[in-house]
Amino acid sequence: AVPAFRIDAFKVLDPFRVLVRVGADRLVVVGLRSDCANLGSAERLGYTTTGGALTPTDKLIMIAPPNQNVCAIDWLRTTKRLPAHY
């Protein structure tokens, strides 16, 4: 789980992974359960959560006006390095 989750910035890595920056120096790779439509054109990123932390049971919301897609999260990995394809 990612406690007190807030998205400061994000970068789409591929149709199944998004890199988000949480705070000044924390990076989290979010893996999605399936290909998320319009992920590459998302202007904003939101999320749903049933608790105070983002977990693999939650969803990302990709906002690419006028569209909005909800994508199920499969896994989360905190990293200190940028992935090779960043």
Side-chain angles (χ1 to χ4, degrees):
V2 179
F5 189 80
R6 82 170 191 241
I7 299 170
D8 292 317
F10 73 96
K11 168 88 173 145
V12 174
L13 300 175
D14 59 42
F16 296 92
R17 297 180 306 151
V18 178
L19 178 70
V20 295
R21 192 179 81 225
V22 182
D25 61 352
R26 187 170 185 195
L27 298 172
V28 178
V29 179
V30 179
L32 304 174
R33 288 190 190 156
S34 61
D35 186 348
C36 191
N38 298 321
L39 181 61
S41 61
E43 293 177 10
R44 292 183 290 153
L45 188 67
Y47 61 92
T48 64
T49 182
T50 55
L54 190 69
T55 68
T57 61
D58 297 320
K59 295 176 175 64
L60 286 184
I61 302 169
M62 308 300 167
I63 303 164
N67 300 314
Q68 177 174 310
N69 296 318
V70 178
C71 308
I73 295 172
D74 189 27
W75 50 265
L76 302 166
R77 291 201 181 100
T78 300
T79 182
K80 294 189 189 260
R81 298 180 296 162
L82 294 177
H85 299 334
Y86 186 73

